[in-house]
Amino acid sequence: MEPNLGTIARSISIRPNREETGLESLQFREEIHRLMIVPPENGSSFTALLELPETQAMELLHSPHSDKGVTVPLSGVPLHGINDDHKSYLPSFNGNLTFPSNKVLIERAAKFSVFASGEHSPETSSVPSDSSANLEKVKSEPADTDSNPNSSQLLVSDPTVNIKNQRSEKRKEREKKGKGCTKKTKIEISQDAEKLPYVHVRARRGQATDSHSLAERARREKINARMKLLQELVPGCSKISGTALVLDEIINHVQSLQRQVELLSMRLASVNPRIDFNLDSLFAPESGSLVDSNFSSMVSPLLWPEIPFNGNRQQHQQQWNFDALHRPLWGREEDSHTFITMENSLLSYDSANSASLHSNQLKMEL
Amino acid sequence: MIPKGVSLNPNSRKTRFARRFICALSQMRNPRPVSSSNEEEVRKRSHKIKIAAYLSMARAVGSRRAWSRALLFKLRTRARRHNIMIGRRSLCLKKKRVIKNDPLGELSQTNKLRHLVPGGKTMDMCSLLEETAHFVTCLATQVKVMQTIADHFAK
C-alpha cells in the first residue's frame, strides 16, 4: 500500500512516472518545467557522454521529455515501458541511467536549479515547507547488472540544499522497486544521513546503506555505463553479456585494429617508394609542363571518393585556376580511353609531376 | 564539377589526421632505386610509417584526451632517446621492455587493456574505459584513412 502523500514526487526523476497530486503536483510540474529550460548541449553525442557524465546527468535530468511523464501508480507500473521511454529519448545512452552520487553532481544540480528558475527560487524554497518538492534531489537508476534491467531508483540529495523537512520527506518519499512491480514501498534512510552533511542516498531494499557500499555502487554504475557505451562501439559486442567476455571482445578488437595498422604500414612501405610527392607542390602554382589532358583524365578515376575531402577541393580549384585550365576539370569523363592515357602519362612523367598529380588524386579520394 | 553529396567537414578529425599523415609520408625520404625489397629496409620503413601514423593521429586529437597525451609523450621521449643514441653512435640500446610478470602467469583483462591503450597504466577503471572508447574510434578512422591511401597507391 502506498502512502497517499507518497504520491508526491520528491525529486526530479528521469523516469517519467512521477506521482503528483493536486496543487503540489502543479507547482512541482512548473518547477520541473522551469528546470528543463536548460537544454542539453550535445546530449546525444557519444564523446560528450563520456566526457561529461555529470553534466550529462544533469541534461538528462532536464530533458524535456521527462515532462511527458504519466502519473502511473506504482503498483501497476510496467517498468519495462519506462525504460523504453528512456531509450526513446536517450538514443545514445541505452538502458539504464546512472548518476554518480557525488557532491559535484548535486552542486551542479543546485546550480542549475538556481539558474533555471531564478525568480522562482523563493517559491522553490517555500515549497519544501510544504514538504512537497525538493528539486535538488535527483533520482538515479543504477544500472546494476545483477538486477533486472528495470532498475529501481536511488534518491540522492544534497543536504546543503535539502534542509527543511527531511523527516517529512522521509515519510513521503518512496522507494521504487526494481524487480518487477511491487506493491510495497519501503523507505530506508540511514539514520546517520539525516544528521550528518553527507550525500543522502536512498538505498534499495535489502542493500547496505553505509557510505562505502554506496560509493562502491556509484562507481560500479559509472563503470557499467562506460561498458555499455563501449559495447555499442565494438561491433558484435552488444549481444554478449557479462563483463569478462565483453572486455575480451574489446581487447580483441583493439588488437585487431592495431594489427591492421601495422599491415597497412607495411603495405605503404612497400608501395611508397614508387611515389614521392610533396604537398607543397600542390599549393604552389603548377608548372606549365603538366599536360592538360592528363589533368582532366586524372580527375575521372578518382571521382568515387570513399572519404571525401571537401576542404582541399577548394584549394584544388584555386590551384587549377592558377594553371589557367579553363575546362570543367572535375567533370566526369569516364572513357576508358582517358584511363589508358592516364596510365601512360603516369609512367612517362618524371617523379615530381606524377607525384603531385597523385597527391591531387589522393586528396580527392580522401 | 565537384561531386555532390560528398562533403566532409574540413576540420574533422579524419581530415586532420589525413593531412598530417600524408605530410609525414611525403617527408619520408625513400632511397632510390626503389623497391629494393630488402627485408630490413622494408621493415624499418614500415615501422617509421607506423610511428608516423600514430603520431599524426595523436596530434590530430590534440592534448584533449589522456591517451593522446601519453602517446605523444612516449613518442617524443623515444625520438629523443633515439637521436641521442645516434649522436653517441651507440645503437646498443635496443633492449626490449620487460613486461611485468603477472603472478598468475597471464595478464588479466584489465591489465591487457592497460597495455594496449597508451597511458592506461595509471588510469583507474572508469577513465580507462572512457579512453578505450575514444581510442577505438580514433583507431578506426586511422585504419580507414590508411586503407584509402594504400588502395590509392596500389592502383
Side-chain angles (χ1 to χ4, degrees), chain B residues 8-84:
Chain B
L8 191 68
N9 177 15
N11 257 340
S12 82
R13 206 162 51 206
K14 195 189 283 181
T15 54
R16 287 200 309 260
F17 165 67
R19 280 190 141 148
R20 288 175 197 270
F21 186 51
I22 294 178
C23 209
L25 275 182
S26 62
Q27 279 168 5
M28 245 174 243
R29 280 168 235 110
N30 300 302
R32 298 205 176 254
V34 302
S35 65
S36 52
S37 64
N38 188 4
E39 269 301 319
E40 185 68 27
E41 285 290 322
V42 173
R43 223 170 342 115
K44 267 201 255 181
R45 206 180 307 129
S46 74
H47 181 71
K48 274 204 278 183
I49 291 182
K50 186 170 70 149
I51 299 285
Y54 280 117
L55 193 63
S56 39
M57 192 69 219
R59 286 238 181 91
V61 167
S63 296
R64 289 189 291 264
R65 311 292 317 198
W67 68 265
S68 68
R69 290 194 292 266
L71 190 57
L72 286 170
F73 178 72
K74 178 175 88 165
L75 291 175
R76 212 167 287 160
T77 48
R78 198 185 283 185
R80 212 171 291 156
R81 208 178 346 138
H82 188 65
N83 291 336
I84 290 176

Side-chain angles (χ1 to χ4, degrees), chain A residues 303-324:
Chain A
L303 287 181
W304 46 89
E306 291 135 16
I307 306 175
F309 194 68
N310 203 9
N312 264 342
R313 238 173 262 131
Q314 277 115 26
Q315 287 157 347
H316 280 302
Q317 274 192 320
Q318 293 167 2
Q319 174 197 345
W320 289 20
N321 289 334
F322 291 152
D323 303 336

Side-chain angles (χ1 to χ4, degrees), chain A residues 63-122:
Chain A
S63 159
H65 290 278
S66 51
D67 62 348
K68 70 179 178 192
V70 186
T71 62
V72 181
L74 248 198
S75 55
V77 163
L79 293 172
H80 178 66
I82 293 163
N83 276 339
D84 288 343
D85 276 347
H86 281 293
K87 284 179 186 143
S88 68
Y89 58 80
L90 293 169
S92 58
F93 199 54
N94 278 338
N96 301 317
L97 310 157
T98 65
F99 281 163
S101 61
N102 53 10
K103 279 202 170 171
V104 179
L105 170 66
I106 305 307
E107 282 163 11
R108 286 190 201 225
K111 264 187 262 175
F112 272 122
S113 66
V114 169
F115 171 70
S117 61
E119 68 276 20
H120 299 292
S121 48

Side-chain angles (χ1 to χ4, degrees), chain A residues 116-161:
Chain A
S117 61
E119 68 276 20
H120 299 292
S121 48
E123 285 183 26
T124 61
S125 57
S126 66
V127 162
S129 64
D130 302 333
S131 68
S132 66
N134 181 9
L135 297 170
E136 282 73 22
K137 274 207 181 164
V138 172
K139 276 190 191 171
S140 69
E141 298 185 22
D144 208 342
T145 51
D146 315 317
S147 72
N148 206 313
N150 308 322
S151 58
S152 65
Q153 295 176 340
L154 283 184
L155 301 173
V156 176
S157 67
D158 191 342
T160 61
V161 185

